[in-house]
Structures are given as structure tokens and as C-alpha cells.
Amino acid sequence: MMSEKVAVFDTTLRDGEQAAGTRLGSREKLTIARQLARLKVDIIEAGYPASSPEDFAAVQLLSREIEGPVICALSRAVPGDIEACGKALANARRPRIHTGIGVSDVHVAGKFRDPKYGKTTGEKKVKLIQMAVAAVKLARQYAEDVEFYAEDAGRADPAYLFEMLEAAIEAGATVVNIPDTTGYAVPEQFGALIRAIREKVPNIQRATISVHCHDDLGLAVANSLAGVANGARQVEGTINGVGERAGNAALEEVVMAVRTRGDYFGVHTGVESREFCRTSRLVSDMLGVVVPPNKAVVGGNAFSHSSGIHVDGFLKDRETYEIMRPEDVGVLESRVVLTARTGRHGLRDRLEKLGYALSQEELDRTYHRFLAVADKKQEVFDEDLIAILHDEIHPVPETYHLDYLHSYSGTSAIPTATVRLGVGGQMREGAAVGDGQVDAICKAISVVTKTSAKLARYEIRAVTSGTEAIGEVTVQLEEGDRKVMGRGASTDVIEASAKAYVDGLNKLAAEFRGQERPGDTPG
Ligand code: KIV
Ligand code: ZN
């Protein structure tokens, strides 16, 4: 039997953008919306037009430019807001107005305390239903597709909520949104609420039930899924779970849960999940909200394995420790992170991938050096492994040895460096100026060693933290068709740079031993 579809409603550009300290302009919203269209979400909530001219313009722009998803705009249940939505959405191919009002007793008593809404709670409740009905009817004059939200439904008196939903559907709402605005609900109870709506609201068959959950208790995704399991056929959320306070339900998690556990939920979405990783990065960059490495589905470590037991199992059969395929969410491949806990099997596998097939004895030696490095660093990179191999298995003779170094620069001084190196049993000195201290050092070393390698890459990273951190410099040197990596570490980054450069030159010297070098200079 064909499974039912759950529509995916993305509100990154509206609720997500409400995250503290974030603001997106129209062009940025358009860039994200284009990516959301590639992700094939069903609905994009583009903004709240009455809130600012900028938001109005953004909704207008997306209405004009975006093809595919429905473009939705938010309003309160007040005519001015709805008219603004109608105007901003005028050019949308498939417009939707999302209007609504508070339903919980807290909202009724707090937001609508002005006596103009009624003197007693009972009177206010009647008035709010009238406002909801009027809002939906007005919205229907601008769009055939009208979604009604019952704000703070998660804390509402169910009987009042049912009455409100029935009235909204009667007035023409095509979708009824059940927001857990404050993230108060727990999955079993929220699921039961959705089931009760299906059973108790007489005209519910004429509308789609949507769930919109916030993450104040870390339950937004679980609550959304409980909603889906109990009959919600639209789910709302944001990419990376960004949003007001603790955020909204993370759409990538909801979608991948429905997909991975299709056996349990028995529904599907139309989302192109291979776009998740790209979308997540874009949203993170544009909103300036970093994705934690351990974030489900799109976190940097979501497909990384590091402990020996896991790596061993994973390398034998991926499915021992992975329930999703990385390529299904747009991650190129799973990663084995080399740490002190990785084990020999993981190390051997990585070395083989790097093209090194070692004997057991060589592997043992390399593993011991690897452990020493891994104890000092969080992660051992491929460059580190290659450096270890050069030391342990293919040691590089020291043609050049850095003996002394002095450099200076300043706002009004030309960066200058003086170096002394041991070269073939002799001490040689030289100096050079450069475009910055590192450049001066490299040039001075080239002068002394009479070499002409090209510095193709320069990277620096702190191995330890604090102002006295050890800086580790990695350089890539090129000469003719040879490329080598040089590494150096020191608390002084200039010294680390010099060591890395000399290390690279020693490797190049070993590569060219007994051969003429492209850049040979006599002397
Ligand atoms: O959380 C909420 O209640 C909302 C509504 C405006 C849908 O974002
Ligand atoms: Zn919300």
C-alpha cells in the first residue's frame, strides 16, 4: 500500500530568523529559499510582512522568484497583517497565508487582557474565536490556501482548542497548525492531542493537521514525530533547528527519522535529503549560528567513527554503527577520526588509503609513534601520519639544520630575517627582507640553502590553547614535479614556520638525491 505523504513546511526564514541576534536581508533570504527549493520542501514561510518593510520586501521577492514550493507569509488575526500578506504574496505562484491567534489560558488572559476583548475569560474566548474566523475569511479573499495557527496549543484547554479549530476550518482554513509554542509538551501527550483533534473536531477531514514544535525541553523533534505518528500530515521546523529561544524542530532530523524509520511511521516526505548538508552549511553561514559537531544528521561528527571497537566494526560492515548512509544527507563519506582510541585496525586502514602498505613490524612502530602524537592532539591528521612515516619508516636525512634565527617587523619596519643553517657540515648565514616575517624567513633560508622551492601552501594551527599555545605549521613545498609537506612546531610561530620550511627542504633534498634539481644554483 502506498504510504501517505507528510508535507514539510520550512520556517527557517521566519521563525528561524527570530533566533536571538540574527537578521536576514532579502537577498540572503532569496539565496536560502533557492536552496530550500532544491531541497524540495513543500512550503517556505518567507516572513511576516507586517513586521517591517524589509520583511514585506523579502516576501515579495521570494513570491516573484521562487518556483516549486508554496510561499507562505505570517500574520496575526488582524486585518492589517492579513492585507500585508495578501499584497506581499500577490505574485506568488502558490501563495499561502498563515494566520492565527492564542488559545491557551495563559495567552487568552495575558495577551488579550485589554477589556476590549471581553471582561471575563469566557467572553474573551468567544471574542478570540470570532477574530479567528474573521481572519481566516479575510485571508481567503487573498489566497485559497490558508493555514490557521492556534498559538500555544501545547498548553491549551483541549475543549477550547477543538472549538477554535472547528470554527477556523468552517471559515475556510485548509491547514490547522497545532504549535507547541513554548516547548512544553511531551511526546506521548502531544501525540494524544493530535489523535484527539482527529477524533473530536467534526470537520477535521477538510483540513490538514500541522505540527509546529519548539525545543525548550529538547523535545521538539520527538513531539513532531509523535504528531506524525498520530495523524499530522504537515510538519514545521527549521534547518539546523534554529529559532526563537532554544529553537524549532530540526527539519533534517524529522525528515531523516521518518525516512530511516519508515517501518514505524509508514509515511514519506518529498524532500531531497541529499541537499541537507549543503542547506545546513548555508543556513549556518548566513545566520552565523554554528552547527555543533555532535548535531544529528548534519553535525561534523554525525558520520565520524573514532573508538577502536566502533572503527573495527564499521570497517568490517558499515551498518554495524551507521543507520543512515552519509551520501543520503549529502555527506561525501563516513570518516574515521584518528584519535588515541582508534586502534591498529583503523590506523592500518587509513595508511592503506594513503598508499602505504606496512609490514606488521612497521605498523607496530608507527602505531607507537601515532599514540604519542594522539595523546597530545585531539585528532591525528593525514599530514601527521605522513610525517610519522617519514620519521619511522622512511627517515629523511638532515641535509639542512636550523641553528639560529632572528627576525623582526613592525608597523614602520620592513620585515627582515637572518638565519644560520648547518649545510653539509658547514655553517652558513644569510639574510633577506620579505612581505611579512614568514616570507622573510623563507627567503633567508632559500638564500642560505641556495634552493628555489615554491611555497605552495602554508597552514598554522594551535596544538594547545592559551597565549603560550604550541603553534604547528604545515607547509607544502613544490619543486619541479615534486611536492612535499614540511612540519614544524614551536611556541613561537615564526620559529615553527622556519622549522617547517627547513623540514620541507630536507624532504625535497631526499627526493632529488643524486639527481639534478630544476632550480639548482651553482655554489
Ligand atoms: O510558535 C508558534 O506558535 C509560532 C506561530 C506563529 C505559528 O511560531
Ligand atoms: Zn514558532
Side-chain angles (χ1 to χ4, degrees):
M1 203 178 70
M2 192 51 191
S3 75
E4 279 182 60
K5 180 174 172 181
V6 173
V8 172
F9 178 113
D10 181 282
T11 183
T12 306
L13 303 179
R14 198 277 297 170
D15 224 351
E17 203 229 16
Q18 284 173 217
T22 55
R23 192 84 194 125
L24 294 172
S26 292
R27 303 302 314 176
E28 289 161 315
K29 280 197 176 188
L30 182 60
T31 304
I32 294 178
R34 287 200 166 119
Q35 180 55 29
L36 291 171
R38 282 191 279 272
L39 181 67
K40 294 201 167 74
V41 300
D42 299 280
I43 303 108
I44 295 176
E45 189 163 47
Y48 173 15
S51 68
S52 73
E54 214 186 356
D55 238 31
F56 184 93
V59 175
Q60 251 186 339
L61 183 68
L62 268 58
S63 299
R64 246 194 345 260
E65 299 290 330
I66 298 295
E67 276 179 55
V70 167
I71 301 296
C72 176
L74 184 84
S75 71
R76 294 166 298 172
V78 294
D81 278 23
I82 296 163
E83 282 151 19
C85 286
K87 285 184 193 139
L89 289 168
N91 289 317
R93 289 155 191 85
R94 300 165 66 202
R96 177 183 292 184
I97 295 180
H98 190 188
T99 188
I101 205 158
V103 283
S104 67
D105 286 357
V106 187
H107 276 230
V108 173
K111 284 171 73 168
F112 302 96
R113 64 164 60 125
D114 191 314
K116 76 176 180 197
Y117 298 108
K119 290 195 189 65
T120 63
T121 305
E123 280 174 20
K124 286 182 197 297
K125 284 187 167 178
V126 172
K127 174 74 180 165
L128 296 196
I129 290 184
Q130 287 166 357
M131 286 170 70
V133 167
V136 172
K137 285 189 171 156
L138 179 59
R140 281 296 301 252
Q141 290 180 18
Y142 292 97
E144 289 197 350
D145 189 2
V146 172
E147 175 168 338
F148 173 77
Y149 64 84
E151 197 180 7
D152 205 17
R155 286 194 295 175
D157 162 19
Y160 180 58
L161 173 65
F162 302 155
E163 212 184 312
M164 176 80 91
L165 297 178
E166 185 183 349
I169 296 169
E170 213 42 54
T174 46
V175 179
V176 285
N177 180 11
I178 316 302
D180 181 28
T181 306
T182 50
Y184 179 76
V186 290
E188 217 184 325
Q189 172 229 338
F190 194 67
L193 177 67
I194 302 301
R195 196 173 342 115
I197 290 171
R198 284 176 60 209
E199 287 165 4
K200 304 261 168 64
V201 177
N203 52 3
I204 196 67
Q205 296 306 336
R206 283 159 41 194
T208 302
I209 303 176
S210 184
V211 285
H212 174 116
C213 299
H214 280 266
D215 210 28
D216 299 65
L217 294 174
L219 294 170
V221 170
N223 285 334
S224 305
L225 292 171
V228 169
N230 283 282
R233 288 296 173 260
Q234 177 178 290
V235 77
E236 309 194 2
T238 58
I239 297 298
N240 300 336
V242 291
E244 192 89 34
R245 305 183 310 280
N248 291 59
L251 279 183
E252 63 279 5
E253 294 179 23
V254 175
V255 169
M256 289 316 287
V258 161
R259 178 177 163 150
T260 308
R261 296 305 312 276
D263 61 319
Y264 180 80
F265 292 104
V267 293
H268 69 278
T269 72
V271 163
E272 174 47 88
S273 65
R274 280 171 297 188
E275 293 293 333
F276 269 139
C277 195
R278 213 192 313 268
T279 316
S280 158
R281 289 215 190 113
L282 181 71
V283 168
S284 164
D285 282 356
M286 293 225 160
L287 286 178
V289 179
V290 175
V291 177
N294 60 335
K295 163 90 181 54
V297 181
V298 290
N301 289 347
F303 294 93
S304 297
H305 307 273
S306 131
S307 85
I309 297 172
H310 286 213
V311 170
D312 187 57
F314 167 77
L315 291 173
K316 286 175 179 145
D317 177 359
R318 190 190 65 74
E319 287 189 15
T320 50
Y321 288 100
E322 277 185 0
I323 57 166
M324 292 173 269
R325 295 187 311 169
E327 55 271 32
D328 287 346
V329 298
V331 174
L332 280 186
E333 56 178 359
S334 309
R335 212 165 65 96
V336 170
V337 178
L338 297 180
T339 69
R341 293 169 308 286
T342 302
R344 275 164 220 255
H345 188 182
L347 178 64
R348 184 196 283 276
D349 179 76
R350 179 65 62 84
L351 289 170
E352 280 172 6
K353 286 198 173 105
L354 290 171
Y356 296 90
L358 304 190
S359 70
Q360 190 57 45
E361 186 269 329
E362 287 173 331
L363 179 69
D364 289 345
R365 267 194 289 144
T366 308
Y367 183 61
H368 282 112
R369 274 292 303 278
F370 162 77
L371 280 185
V373 175
D375 274 341
K376 295 203 196 83
K377 300 179 67 177
Q378 277 184 340
E379 182 178 346
V380 180
F381 296 95
D382 290 352
E383 287 90 345
D384 300 309
L385 281 187
I386 290 168
I388 293 172
L389 285 174
H390 273 293
D391 285 356
E392 279 299 321
I393 313 297
H394 312 288
V396 177
E398 203 181 35
T399 309
Y400 310 110
H401 169 77
L402 180 69
D403 184 56
Y404 164 90
L405 133 80
H406 176 76
S407 79
Y408 65 86
S409 75
T411 44
S412 56
I414 297 173
T416 309
T418 311
V419 295
R420 185 166 63 225
L421 282 108
V423 184
Q426 287 176 13
M427 282 297 170
R428 289 192 196 163
E429 281 185 5
V433 293
D435 188 8
Q437 264 176 302
V438 171
D439 188 44
I441 286 283
C442 296
K443 282 190 173 139
I445 295 171
S446 297
V447 167
V448 171
T449 54
K450 299 188 170 60
T451 52
S452 56
K454 183 170 150 245
L455 179 64
R457 214 173 93 201
Y458 175 91
E459 270 168 29
I460 184 161
R461 63 171 178 261
V463 179
T464 52
S465 56
T467 50
E468 288 176 17
I470 293 188
E472 188 180 74
V473 173
T474 307
V475 295
Q476 188 180 53
L477 302 189
E478 288 178 8
E479 191 174 333
D481 59 353
R482 313 289 167 96
K483 286 185 188 160
V484 295
M485 305 293 285
R487 291 171 69 251
S490 170
T491 46
D492 175 350
V493 292
I494 300 300
E495 187 182 330
S497 306
K499 284 181 168 173
Y501 197 77
V502 171
D503 184 48
L505 287 184
N506 277 324
K507 285 176 183 153
L508 276 177
E511 293 268 328
F512 283 110
R513 193 152 302 269
Q515 299 169 32
E516 204 172 304
R517 297 175 67 164
D520 264 354
T521 39

